[in-house]
């Protein structure tokens, strides 16, 4: 057991309201205040990491319904803001994902501070990644997964190893700690599964060759997150090398068993279960929709309970259903749920963007983001090309994975907890990650322009051989760029 001292604060609603009205000026956040969360006095517990918990479910003679009005208020604010941001950017002809990210940054602690306690919102938003990867698994073809398996597995591992080596070597040459450089390499090797997969789905590229390679690599990175978590205590010095190797070996064994059991269920239990749900849902799809969501969440929870990731379990659940004849019907049932929670997740990621910090260090952060995009594009393109893919396919995959992913936030938090990195490095990596996610929509917009220019300049081989059509399309895209419409 771990004993911890906490502070318990009792709030008197009447006194707090009188003091606030008499001594504090009006603020925008007052419009979204939580003064009506409870009619009685409330108790708040603050732990040593400054996490604030509102006490509820007190022992009473009869059970009573407890409502977390703070969470309800936060969800209302973030969903309305994300909707407004998406509408504005859609009218401007820009990807709605940028509207979600900027809406989150506007209402978060770095903006108007309408949402200042993000633990509950971020936990709720995690469902966005779960359902996004579940839908991605439903669209993913298992035969094509086998085709891109070598480049996804071996290439993904090679990318992580190369980033660890390059950053470790750079740290050694600059006089920094080797362990810190190795961690930065693992940090930079992560790409955003949620953001990239959303763009691939919107553009209908999930079944294209570059889309399959990209998704396979992202899934490998998700699988590697658990192993990287086991590596951080070793780099931080809080766990021995032998203990770290044992932990990584145990995770690999659990992963193998988990995938084997899922493979056996795919050919035995899943088709019969879905067929039964179809028969029971002949009048309404409500039961089938609920069963699909329950299956996704159950497998995600099992994966997380075994020390793997929620994302791996949800993706595997989608792949298991994709082998049946009910994949398209299941996708139709969960698509609306996926879109809602994906917007919630992306807006919560935007809350990590602090405009003041970005403005004060804009030169360093912009240089870091540009360097990350260039280095990641070059390294990933070289790795994909080494597996025999065309330079065009390798280049598209390299640009698609050029950002730093949302898992990097979790790795960064774990490394800070083990004192592996300092405060300034923490803020630098946090700002770089946030900016790289914001620039991802622009990169995806420019990929068709760059690839078609590459074909005209004979950098890439022409797949269609129709140079005149490529020239017309390229000139049209360039005109849109100069007119500010892209």
């Amino acid at each position: 057991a771990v004993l911890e001292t906490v502070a318990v604060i009792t709030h008197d609603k009447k006194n707090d309201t009188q003091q606030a009205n008499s001594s504090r000026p009006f603020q925008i956040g007052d419009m979204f205040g939580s003064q009506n969360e409870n009619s009685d006095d409330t108790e708040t517990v603050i732990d040593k990491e400054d996490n604030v918990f509102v006490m509820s479910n007190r022992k009473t003679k009869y059970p009573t319904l407890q409502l977390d009005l703070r969470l309800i208020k936060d969800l209302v604010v973030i969903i309305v803001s994300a909707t407004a941001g998406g509408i504005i950017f859609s009218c401007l002809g820009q990807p709605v994902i940028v509207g979600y990210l900027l809406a989150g940054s506007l209402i978060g602690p770095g903006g108007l501070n309408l949402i200042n306690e993000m633990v509950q919102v971020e936990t709720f938003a995690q469902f966005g990644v779960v359902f996004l990867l579940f839908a991605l698994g439903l669209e993913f073809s298992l035969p094509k997964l086998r085709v891109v398996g070598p480049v996804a597995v071996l290439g993904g591992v090679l990318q992580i190893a190369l980033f660890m080596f390059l950053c470790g070597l750079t740290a050694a040459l600059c006089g920094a700690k080797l362990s810190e450089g190795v961690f930065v390499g693992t940090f930079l090797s992560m790409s955003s599964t949620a953001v990239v997969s959303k763009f691939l789905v919107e553009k209908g590229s999930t079944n294209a060759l570059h889309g399959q390679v990209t998704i396979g690599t992202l899934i490998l990175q998700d699988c590697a997150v658990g192993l990287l978590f086991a590596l951080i205590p070793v780099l931080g010095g809080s766990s021995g090398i032998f203990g770290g190797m044992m932990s990584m070996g145990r995770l690999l064994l659990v992963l193998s068993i988990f995938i084997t059991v899922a493979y056996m269920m795919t050919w035995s239990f899943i088709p019969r279960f879905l067929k039964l749900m179809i028969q029971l849902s002949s009048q309404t799809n409500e039961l089938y929709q609920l069963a699909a969501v329950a299956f996704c969440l159950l497998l995600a929870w099992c994966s997380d309970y075994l020390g793997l990731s929620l994302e791996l379990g949800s993706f595997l659940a989608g792949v298991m259903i994709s082998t049946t004849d009910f994949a398209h019907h299941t996708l139709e049932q969960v698509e609306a749920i996926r879109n809602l929670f994906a917007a919630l997740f992306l807006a919560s990621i935007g809350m990590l963007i602090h405009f003041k910090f970005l403005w004060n260090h804009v030169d360093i952060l912009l240089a870091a983001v540009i360097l990350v995009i260039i280095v990641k594009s070059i390294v990933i393109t070289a790795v994909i090309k080494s597996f025999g893919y065309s330079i065009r396919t390798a280049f598209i995959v390299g640009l698609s994975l050029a950002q730093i992913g949302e898992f990097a936030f979790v790795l960064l938090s774990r490394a800070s907890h083990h004192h592996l990195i300092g405060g300034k490095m923490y803020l630098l990596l946090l700002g770089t990650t946030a900016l790289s996610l914001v620039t991802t929509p622009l990169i995806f917009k420019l990929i068709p322009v760059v690839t078609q220019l590459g074909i005209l300049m004979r950098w890439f081989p022409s797949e269609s051989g129709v140079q005149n059509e490529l020239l017309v399309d390229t000139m049209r895209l360039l005109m849109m760029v100069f007119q500010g419409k892209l």
Side-chain angles (χ1 to χ4, degrees):
V2 178
L3 299 179
E4 179 179 341
T5 302
V6 298
V8 180
I9 304 174
T10 301
H11 300 275
D12 187 345
K13 293 292 180 178
K14 296 180 179 179
N15 292 337
D16 288 348
T17 303
Q18 292 175 358
Q19 293 177 4
N21 292 336
S22 60
S23 61
R24 188 168 58 88
F26 175 78
Q27 297 178 357
I28 294 181
D30 296 337
M31 297 174 59
F32 303 92
S34 55
Q35 63 270 19
N36 295 324
E37 289 180 3
N38 290 306
S39 58
D40 302 327
D41 295 346
T42 61
E43 287 185 351
T44 301
V45 173
I46 305 177
D47 66 7
K48 63 180 181 181
E49 296 181 353
D50 292 334
N51 295 315
V52 180
F53 305 90
V54 178
M55 302 298 290
S56 62
N57 196 22
R58 300 172 182 174
K59 293 182 179 179
T60 57
K61 184 177 181 180
Y62 301 103
T64 57
L65 179 64
Q66 298 288 337
L67 295 178
D68 190 346
L69 296 181
R70 180 189 298 273
L71 177 59
I72 295 176
K73 181 264 297 182
D74 290 347
L75 290 177
V76 170
V77 171
I78 192 173
I79 291 176
V80 171
S81 302
T83 303
I87 292 175
I88 293 173
F89 276 79
S90 178
C91 294
L92 295 176
Q94 301 299 317
V96 294
I97 186 175
V98 183
Y100 300 154
L101 290 170
L102 293 183
S105 64
L106 182 64
I107 64 177
L112 299 177
N113 200 26
L114 302 181
I115 298 178
N116 50 23
E117 295 180 10
M118 299 167 52
V119 176
Q120 290 178 304
V121 173
E122 288 181 342
T123 302
F124 203 77
Q126 184 65 27
F127 285 106
V129 186
V130 171
F131 289 122
L132 190 61
L133 287 179
F134 179 57
L136 192 63
L138 290 172
E139 296 180 327
F140 205 70
S141 172
L142 195 58
K144 292 184 178 181
L145 177 62
R146 297 191 185 100
V147 173
V148 300
V151 66
V153 177
L154 299 179
V157 172
L158 181 59
Q159 292 171 31
I160 297 175
L162 283 176
F163 280 112
M164 293 171 65
F165 172 76
L166 292 176
C167 293
L169 180 62
T170 303
L173 294 177
C174 296
K177 293 181 180 180
L178 179 62
S179 59
E180 188 173 4
V182 172
F183 166 75
V184 173
T186 62
F187 179 87
L188 296 180
S189 64
M190 294 290 103
S191 298
S192 177
T193 304
V195 176
V196 174
S197 58
K198 183 173 179 61
F199 272 105
L200 291 176
V201 170
E202 289 180 352
K203 293 181 176 296
S205 303
T206 53
N207 290 322
L209 180 59
H210 65 86
Q212 295 287 319
V213 175
T214 301
I215 295 172
T217 305
L218 288 170
I219 296 304
L220 182 278
Q221 292 179 0
D222 293 342
C223 296
V225 169
L227 300 178
L228 296 179
F229 280 161
L231 180 63
I232 288 178
V234 179
L235 295 176
S238 58
S239 175
I241 297 179
F242 179 75
M245 294 299 104
M246 288 292 294
S247 179
M248 296 179 69
R250 184 166 57 251
L251 282 174
L252 285 174
L253 178 61
V254 171
L255 177 62
S256 302
I257 296 175
F258 184 64
I259 293 178
T260 302
V261 173
Y263 181 79
M264 295 173 61
M265 291 179 60
T266 301
W267 304 110
S268 58
F269 171 73
I270 300 302
R272 296 182 176 88
F273 173 72
L274 294 178
K275 186 176 181 180
L276 176 61
M277 290 299 102
I278 285 288
Q279 294 174 353
L280 295 177
S281 305
S282 57
Q283 300 297 328
T284 176
N285 289 323
E286 178 182 352
L287 185 59
Y288 186 91
Q289 185 181 51
L290 185 62
V293 171
F295 177 71
C296 167
L297 296 178
L298 177 61
L299 214 62
W301 178 82
C302 291
S303 176
D304 182 71
Y305 181 79
L306 294 174
L308 305 173
S309 64
L310 289 168
E311 292 74 16
L312 174 63
S314 58
F315 176 79
L316 196 59
V319 173
M320 293 168 69
I321 298 179
S322 69
T323 60
T324 67
D325 298 330
F326 309 103
H328 183 69
H329 180 67
T330 306
L331 180 61
E332 291 179 344
Q333 299 302 310
V334 301
E335 191 170 15
I337 302 175
R338 176 199 66 184
N339 294 336
L340 172 63
F341 282 99
L344 186 63
F345 170 77
L346 293 170
S348 68
I349 289 294
M351 293 182 194
L352 298 173
I353 303 175
H354 286 243
F355 286 112
K356 184 177 180 180
F357 175 79
L358 297 181
W359 179 257
N360 292 335
H361 305 84
V362 63
D363 51 347
I364 299 176
L365 290 173
L366 286 178
V369 170
I370 293 174
L371 182 63
V372 166
I373 293 175
I374 293 175
V375 172
K376 290 198 69 172
S377 300
I378 293 175
V379 171
I380 295 174
T381 300
V383 170
I384 302 300
K385 184 67 175 67
S386 66
F387 280 82
Y389 290 86
S390 66
I391 184 64
R392 180 177 180 270
T393 299
F395 181 72
I396 295 177
V397 175
L399 282 180
S400 301
L401 301 177
Q403 75 291 126
I404 305 176
E406 60 278 352
F407 279 130
F409 293 115
V410 187
L411 289 173
L412 190 59
S413 176
R414 184 70 62 90
S416 177
H417 177 72
H418 287 278
H419 305 287
L420 183 57
I421 57 175
K424 293 183 178 179
M425 178 62 70
Y426 177 88
L427 293 176
L428 176 62
L429 294 178
L430 184 65
T432 303
T433 304
L435 277 182
S436 70
L437 288 174
V438 173
T439 58
T440 301
L442 176 62
I443 293 176
F444 269 88
K445 272 285 190 179
L446 294 178
I447 284 178
V449 180
V450 177
T451 53
Q452 292 196 25
L453 281 177
I455 293 175
L456 288 177
M457 300 297 293
R458 300 184 182 275
W459 297 336
F460 307 144
S462 175
E463 296 181 353
S464 62
V466 186
Q467 297 293 334
N468 291 333
E469 293 182 4
L470 289 175
L471 179 60
V472 172
D473 292 339
T474 303
M475 294 302 297
R476 178 175 57 83
L477 290 170
L478 288 176
M479 290 298 296
M480 293 174 64
V481 172
F482 288 122
Q483 294 175 2
K485 296 181 179 180
L486 189 60

